[in-house]
Amino acid sequence: MKLNRRAIIGGITAGTLAFGLAACGGGGDEEGGSGDLASGEINASGASFPDAFYAAAIEAYAEVNPDLMVSYNATGSGTGKSEFGEGLNDFAGTDSLVKDDDGVEAGSFQYIPTVAAPITVSYNLPGVDALQLPQDVLAGIFGGTVTTWNDPTIAAANPDATLPDTAITLAVRSDGSGTTTNFSKFLEAASPDVWTLGSGDTIEWPGNAVAGEKNTGVAQIIQDTEGAIGYVDLADATESGLVTASIENADGAFIAPTLEGATAALDGAQVEADLSYNPLNAAGAEAYPITAPTYILIRTEYDDPNVAAGVKEFVNYLLTDGQDLAAENNFAALPTGLRDQAVEALNSTIAD
Amino acid sequence: MTSLNTAPDLTGRNLSKRRAFANRTATLLIGLCVLIAALPLLLVAWEVVTRGGSALSLAFFTEEIPRNYRTEGPGMGPAILGTLAITGMAALIAIPIGVLGAVYLNEYGKNKPLARFIRTMADVMTGVPSIVMGLFIYVAYVVVIGEKVGFGGSLALACLMLPIVIRSAEEMLRLVPDELRQASAGLGARKWRTTMSVVLPSASSGITSGALLAVARAAGETAPIIVTVGLTYIYKPDLFYGENTTLAAQIYRNATQPFAASQERAWGAALTLIAIVFLFTIVSRVIAARFAIDKR
């Protein structure tokens, strides 16, 4: 019953759309070409981290195939996964891997990596613009043991900088976030002796922390507070014009957060059989150490063949032409090897 | 007596200096308080109008919502339609039930245990955070039918509106003098007749403003909408098919992005939402005034 109605109304919607387009543009090719392209509506929800990239890809895809409407609702990884488990969305976006208590049945999904992006450590310290932070010092700052900017550990790593005695204010996330998870996971892996606060989507931050909502909120705090330092994804840091620090990577080199550094980290990461991978603190001289992956969860079985075809077509677009949109939105495209693996997994999970 | 011909002097010009001073100070203070109370409202209105005004155009009300945050240009049409349809459906559910409930409480239930229980529960429900209502409908409706649809949002908003409508309508019914009821009964009208043709009409303007308060609160709700309704970029007039969207949800979605284009759309949507609520208030006031029994 539900399937029938969905298909019928989907058809009507698509028909209206196609009609409207033909009426507006007067282009004749849509009518002939709609035979082999999927049509209808795909609803997705999940991680907010890749939202800007998916939004750009969805808009570009609407030009490729206007008959298939894809919506991506940035509800957060946790909600996306539980809605995936309830069957409310057609695919889910997530920054973290599926755990037992996420409500997603084992074997009912396939990870498809889409893009990655560096998480920057941004700060506001007038006159200091090329800060270098070793891993232990970073863990000390966010763990609350390093509380002023002229702390000897910071000074030792930055001999050329004149550091003021301003107190350090930590800018952190108030909402549960995949960015917090990846950042704390990195500190936990990179500096287990200094970092004692654990990892997760929320952290019990030390007393000098100020919390803001989403990446934009944290970026705002850093902009407004002299002496502030916080973790923000590259897209928001670039858009807000924040100053970013170079972070020591696994090879001991200080790397600035760039898309090239993120791609290098993906090259150095070990990819598992289920296509999950961990680019945090990855090997490689050029690799930016705090690089966060993000995935799409697709179902191994779809009730409606139309939806299956639509998901396949859109995800395939994300992995091929869509990858060209990544850089301009401040996300790092997948390396060719991983991309081919992902396309292969997509094709074998959703057979034609 | 000649003094009866001259009206007593109430201007306060003859007051003693101390009392005149106290009078002026108190008047000044009250005026100041009014200003202070109105100031935030004026600032909000000013800010929204100046920042959202530039986004508004005819296309803003009719175009589909841009799928990419960075794309500049107008389009909130589907969200405007969604707000009207979802809130309208919620009002259609909550207002009749709420008013009938209030009639029961004030005309029939009075102090019976059941009426007291309903009154307490309505008071408790007023304080329930909106996200809880959203999650309740998510579990009880969205998960059960296996799809996010606009009607789920209507149900969640109706749950939010119901206690406000019940309590405000009951207060209004209580203000209707008992003499009116007795007079109606004395003319031989039955109780239901008295309620329908005497009590409800004389309370109608108060009930309307109470219901409006509820509608205005519901139209601005974000959290329950995001949980139950989902997201769309295109027109979805059918509340029972497909994910939908509202202005409040679009404000949240667009304002939390760092891109100037989406933030401008969020300001535009905020101005539109305020304008819709404002317009709706005026229209219902006019309707209520038409139907109200002349007080004199």
Side-chain angles (χ1 to χ4, degrees):
Chain A
M1 185 61 214
K2 186 194 141 203
L3 292 182
N4 277 340
R5 203 173 65 174
R6 206 170 192 184
I8 291 165
I9 307 206
I12 293 170
T13 317
T16 321
L17 265 175
F19 180 75
L21 210 116
C24 292
D29 50 351
E30 269 84 16
E31 285 147 329
S34 63
D36 35 11
L37 291 174
S39 64
E41 202 174 313
I42 301 294
N43 295 312
S45 61
S48 52
F49 173 64
D51 190 22
F53 166 65
Y54 291 164
I58 285 170
E59 183 168 86
Y61 181 70
E63 313 228 318
V64 178
N65 178 9
D67 293 350
L68 179 66
M69 200 205 83
V70 183
S71 72
Y72 183 81
N73 197 359
T75 53
S77 297
T79 313
K81 281 190 281 191
S82 77
E83 290 184 352
F84 186 84
E86 301 281 3
L88 293 176
N89 55 23
D90 299 321
F91 67 83
T94 175
D95 300 338
S96 47
L97 300 183
V98 173
K99 292 182 279 292
D100 290 341
D101 55 357
D102 282 335
V104 180
E105 226 174 287
S108 68
F109 64 89
Q110 166 70 45
Y111 292 115
I112 302 287
T114 52
V115 283
I119 298 171
T120 71
V121 175
S122 301
Y123 61 95
N124 177 353
L125 205 57
V128 183
D129 53 1
L131 201 65
Q132 297 193 330
L133 293 174
Q135 298 182 342
D136 283 346
V137 177
L138 188 64
I141 291 174
F142 279 91
T145 50
V146 176
T147 54
T148 55
W149 281 104
N150 60 359
D151 193 275
T153 56
I154 303 177
N158 299 278
D160 300 335
T162 37
L163 296 162
D165 61 352
T166 317
I168 293 178
T169 305
L170 302 179
V172 299
R173 289 284 288 265
S174 60
D175 49 331
S177 157
T179 311
T180 308
T181 309
N182 282 310
F183 185 68
S184 56
K185 266 189 181 166
F186 161 73
L187 292 175
E188 202 174 35
S191 173
D193 301 334
V194 183
W195 182 253
T196 54
L197 300 178
S199 68
D201 61 357
T202 51
I203 299 284
E204 289 277 338
W205 295 103
N208 58 341
V210 179
E213 185 162 329
K214 296 207 172 188
N215 276 301
T216 37
V218 176
Q220 193 68 47
I221 293 173
I222 299 172
Q223 261 177 334
D224 295 346
T225 320
E226 195 174 322
I229 184 167
Y231 55 95
V232 185
D233 70 29
L234 183 65
D236 286 84
T238 312
E239 203 68 32
S240 316
L242 298 177
V243 182
T244 56
S246 298
I247 308 296
E248 182 191 20
N249 69 8
D251 287 12
F254 288 94
I255 305 293
T258 59
L259 297 179
E260 295 72 40
T263 308
L266 296 188
D267 273 331
Q270 177 73 37
V271 179
E272 307 291 333
D274 63 358
L275 288 189
S276 68
Y277 63 102
N278 180 10
L280 289 171
N281 214 9
E286 299 292 316
Y288 182 72
I290 325 176
T291 297
T294 188
Y295 308 93
I296 276 177
L297 299 183
I298 57 169
R299 296 181 196 286
T300 46
E301 273 173 39
Y302 284 92
D303 296 338
D304 185 341
N306 263 336
V307 172
V311 170
K312 183 174 182 178
E313 217 179 281
F314 176 70
V315 177
N316 188 51
Y317 175 81
L318 270 187
L319 292 170
T320 51
D321 294 346
Q323 293 282 314
D324 299 340
L325 299 168
E328 63 186 84
N329 289 292
N330 290 309
F331 287 87
L334 296 180
T336 329
L338 186 55
R339 189 188 305 187
D340 292 345
Q341 275 177 286
V343 173
E344 201 176 296
L346 176 67
N347 287 332
S348 65
T349 309
I350 305 178
D352 281 314
Chain B
M1 289 288 191
T2 49
S3 62
L4 277 178
N5 295 331
T6 52
D9 182 14
L10 294 176
T11 55
R13 237 175 268 139
N14 295 343
L15 291 178
S16 71
K17 270 198 182 136
R18 199 183 63 80
R19 285 182 61 188
F21 176 73
N23 183 32
R24 290 244 176 76
T25 322
T27 314
L28 204 73
L29 277 178
I30 291 170
L32 209 68
C33 287
V34 170
L35 268 184
I36 291 172
L39 195 66
L41 200 68
L42 288 177
L43 285 178
V44 168
W46 172 251
E47 187 81 9
V48 173
V49 168
T50 49
R51 301 188 72 156
S54 57
L56 294 192
S57 62
L58 183 63
F60 189 82
F61 299 120
T62 56
E63 295 273 303
E64 291 181 356
I65 302 166
R67 296 161 197 222
N68 189 354
Y69 299 108
R70 288 161 172 256
T71 305
E72 293 198 13
M76 272 295 152
I80 295 171
L81 178 72
T83 302
L84 293 178
I86 291 173
T87 318
M89 176 65 94
L92 225 57
I93 300 170
I95 292 176
I97 298 180
V99 172
L100 287 179
V103 167
Y104 168 76
L105 288 183
N106 197 55
E107 306 297 319
Y108 296 91
K110 298 192 196 287
N111 274 326
K112 285 181 191 156
L114 177 63
R116 282 219 297 265
F117 175 71
I118 293 175
R119 224 169 264 138
T120 318
M121 287 318 285
D123 281 344
V124 172
M125 263 173 78
T126 327
V128 170
S130 57
I131 181 69
V132 176
M133 293 296 185
L135 289 175
F136 165 65
I137 296 299
Y138 178 81
V139 172
Y141 181 75
V142 177
V143 171
V144 173
I145 69 160
E147 216 175 344
K148 289 190 176 183
V149 291
F151 189 66
S154 296
L155 285 178
L157 294 186
C159 289
L160 278 170
M161 291 165 69
L162 195 54
I164 307 178
V165 175
I166 292 180
R167 292 299 278 160
S168 65
E170 196 201 347
E171 289 303 319
M172 289 307 133
L173 292 178
R174 194 172 291 164
L175 289 180
V176 176
D178 252 349
E179 285 81 354
L180 286 182
R181 295 190 182 87
Q182 287 157 5
S184 176
L187 288 171
R190 296 189 182 181
K191 192 158 187 181
W192 67 267
R193 185 103 210 210
T194 305
T195 309
M196 289 299 287
S197 53
V198 176
V199 180
L200 279 178
S202 31
S204 71
S205 85
I207 292 177
T208 313
S209 35
L212 264 179
L213 208 69
V215 170
R217 184 188 162 185
E221 277 299 340
T222 314
I225 292 295
I226 289 176
V227 177
T228 54
V229 164
L231 170 71
T232 191
Y233 318 103
I234 59 171
Y235 280 103
K236 289 280 183 62
D238 184 353
L239 287 182
F240 294 94
Y241 166 74
E243 303 199 351
N244 219 310
T245 191
T246 70
L247 282 169
Q250 287 296 330
I251 294 170
Y252 176 73
R253 176 170 176 269
N254 282 296
T256 47
Q257 294 295 326
F259 312 114
S262 75
Q263 286 178 1
E264 182 170 317
R265 271 196 293 279
W267 282 110
L271 182 56
T272 314
L273 183 58
I274 292 177
I276 287 178
V277 172
F278 189 64
L279 208 76
F280 195 55
T281 311
I282 293 173
V283 168
S284 330
R285 290 271 155 144
V286 170
I287 294 175
R290 267 298 142 74
F291 280 94
I293 286 177
D294 200 356
K295 289 275 155 47
R296 284 283 120 187

